[in-house]
Amino acid sequence: SQMLECYISALLPAVLTVFFFSIIRRPPRSTLSSSSAASDVYKRQPTHQPPGKRARIEPTLARPTSSTIEQHMSIAPPATPPIPVTASDRLVSRHGEDTVEVSPFMSDGSASEASQVVCHGANGVRWSTCTTNSRGTAVIASQLFVAVGCQNGHLLIMSRASGRWLLPPVQLKGGVCFLACTDSGMLAALSTDGTVSLWDMLKQDLVLESNAAHLLEPPAARVISLELQGADVVLNLGVAGRLERFALHRGLRSWLCLTDQTQCDPLSASSATRPEVLVSTMEAQLSGALVLGDCRQHERWLEYYLRPLIDLGPSSEPKLREVCEGLVGGQSCGLGVVGGSCPAAMLQKAIGMMKASTAFRGMASELGQSLALSGSNVLERGAVSLLK
């Protein structure tokens, strides 16, 4: 009996352990019933989930319709390019004695998918090369290189002296429709998607890139030309029969709207035009000349600007004083004197115009004294700017 008690005491823990785990184990699917507590726990688990993967809660949102998807798509389908481009039969760019001509290759009486680039000098053909896989759509020649734009977005950079390719084709976002360059190595391109790019080809560096597609939103807007003036890219657009000019400022990295000079000539302005409107127009012209670094236009518009400013009387004294003090200090309109301009000459004109007005005679005498005291410095700055 003692040995039996020993066996029972030794086996009892193991039997109880087996019995306990047999009760709490998960029942098989076939034994599930609504009255079982273990069944309730089991039914809360996903019965269709593959082993080894966590359950994912599906949102109970309504399935979006096709119209809803189109309205909320972050990537819209490609739209029609804002600037259409077509390959021309003959493109010409002249620089000095050289004329660069781009024309399609002719094969069996029909034009091929490539264009021939020929440079004609004073004594005949200097060199000849060709594009690859696409027709030429734009060409520009500078003192250092020749740039040819193609319909497939390739921009080819060639040596002006020999026609040798200096770089592999530069792939732009769209077909090249307009090119502009300077002899200092700057090159600008406008592609069909509205992207304007400016490079320094000597440093092989992208200076600036911006999209001008929003400038072409009016239905009647069309690109007339692309220019490089001073340090900025100028885009000339034709909108409803008038010229609109936009300058891409390097520092601001934004498009500046330059007032159309043909629409706001003060000599042809009506006598009914309010002086305030005329002053605002002249200020736009002055700032545009400063942006472009155009000395002649700046002096011209400054003289036109002073006349309506003086006609406004004492209310315009802060603007008039700021302009004249800027000329005394060598900073026209507080934004800097345009290279090649003479601040002393412009200040003399301003003083002469103010003396004819009773409201500004005191300011004229004050500025005359300032000019007499610092006249030599002003004249020296004007001479230095002329030498530049």
Side-chain angles (χ1 to χ4, degrees):
S1 63
Q2 292 180 350
M3 292 181 63
L4 181 62
E5 291 178 358
C6 290
Y7 283 124
I8 293 175
S9 60
L11 294 175
L12 184 60
V15 172
L16 292 176
T17 302
V18 172
F19 179 73
F20 176 76
F21 280 104
S22 65
I23 292 176
I24 67 171
R25 73 179 183 87
R26 289 173 55 179
R29 295 173 186 266
S30 59
T31 61
L32 291 178
S33 64
S34 59
S35 61
S36 171
S39 174
D40 294 339
V41 175
Y42 185 75
K43 284 189 291 184
R44 288 199 293 267
Q45 305 295 328
T47 59
H48 61 280
Q49 188 69 20
K53 292 188 178 180
R54 298 180 60 183
R56 183 169 61 91
I57 300 175
E58 296 291 342
T60 59
L61 300 177
R63 185 176 182 86
T65 61
S66 59
S67 60
T68 307
I69 295 176
E70 291 178 358
Q71 294 176 1
H72 293 84
M73 285 179 65
S74 59
I75 303 178
T80 304
I83 310 173
V85 60
T86 55
S88 176
D89 292 338
R90 185 172 180 267
L91 301 169
V92 177
S93 178
R94 296 180 174 85
H95 189 281
E97 296 182 350
D98 293 344
T99 300
V100 180
E101 180 180 347
V102 179
S103 57
F105 270 123
M106 302 302 294
S107 176
D108 299 331
S110 60
S112 65
E113 292 299 323
S115 293
Q116 184 178 18
V117 184
V118 181
C119 179
H120 300 273
N123 300 321
V125 177
R126 294 186 58 189
W127 51 263
S128 176
T129 184
C130 65
T131 65
T132 56
N133 303 326
S134 184
R135 298 272 297 275
T137 54
V139 61
I140 194 71
S142 73
Q143 186 176 356
L144 304 173
F145 58 84
V146 172
V148 178
C150 299
Q151 202 168 15
N152 63 352
H154 283 182
L155 179 61
L156 311 179
I157 309 299
M158 308 171 183
S159 169
R160 164 79 182 277
S162 64
R164 178 176 58 91
W165 287 27
L166 302 177
L167 291 171
V170 180
Q171 182 64 61
L172 302 184
K173 299 177 182 179
V176 183
C177 47
F178 289 95
L179 293 171
C181 68
T182 64
D183 288 337
S184 61
M186 304 303 295
L187 175 64
L190 173 63
S191 54
T192 54
D193 69 330
T195 302
V196 176
S197 305
L198 178 64
W199 299 276
D200 186 339
M201 300 308 299
L202 295 181
K203 299 179 180 179
Q204 296 189 8
D205 180 42
L206 176 64
V207 178
L208 187 62
E209 187 175 70
S210 179
N211 195 285
H214 61 286
L215 303 178
L216 303 173
E217 289 181 358
R222 64 184 182 89
V223 181
I224 297 177
S225 64
L226 183 71
E227 302 176 7
L228 278 175
Q229 293 190 13
D232 304 297
V233 181
V234 178
L235 189 62
N236 297 316
L237 305 179
V239 181
R242 69 180 187 276
L243 176 67
E244 290 191 1
R245 309 181 73 213
F246 295 88
L248 181 57
H249 195 279
R250 287 196 200 180
L252 299 177
R253 296 183 178 272
S254 302
W255 289 97
L256 306 181
C257 181
L258 305 180
T259 309
D260 180 14
Q261 297 179 3
T262 61
Q263 301 293 329
C264 60
D265 193 341
L267 299 180
S268 60
S270 171
S271 58
T273 304
R274 293 178 59 87
E276 295 86 351
V277 177
L278 203 55
V279 165
S280 299
T281 302
M282 297 303 103
E283 288 174 353
Q285 291 291 351
L286 268 175
S287 58
L290 283 170
V291 167
L292 300 177
D294 194 332
C295 169
R296 294 181 179 178
Q297 289 296 329
H298 179 263
E299 292 184 356
R300 172 174 176 255
W301 290 112
L302 180 60
E303 185 176 357
Y304 290 151
Y305 173 62
L306 292 174
R307 293 175 183 173
L309 200 62
I310 293 175
D311 292 340
L312 287 176
S315 62
S316 63
E317 180 178 350
K319 291 184 177 181
L320 191 59
R321 184 177 293 276
E322 184 181 38
V323 171
C324 295
E325 289 180 353
L327 292 175
V328 173
Q331 293 186 350
S332 176
C333 300
L335 296 175
V337 175
V338 179
S341 61
C342 183
M346 290 189 286
L347 186 57
Q348 289 284 8
K349 290 182 180 180
I351 292 175
M353 297 171 66
M354 283 188 290
K355 286 182 178 179
S357 174
T358 57
F360 296 105
R361 286 178 183 174
M363 186 188 299
S365 60
E366 179 185 343
L367 291 172
Q369 293 176 2
S370 301
L371 182 60
L373 293 175
S374 59
S376 59
N377 295 331
V378 175
L379 290 174
E380 183 180 353
R381 283 193 299 270
V384 170
S385 63
L386 284 172
L387 289 176
K388 290 180 180 180

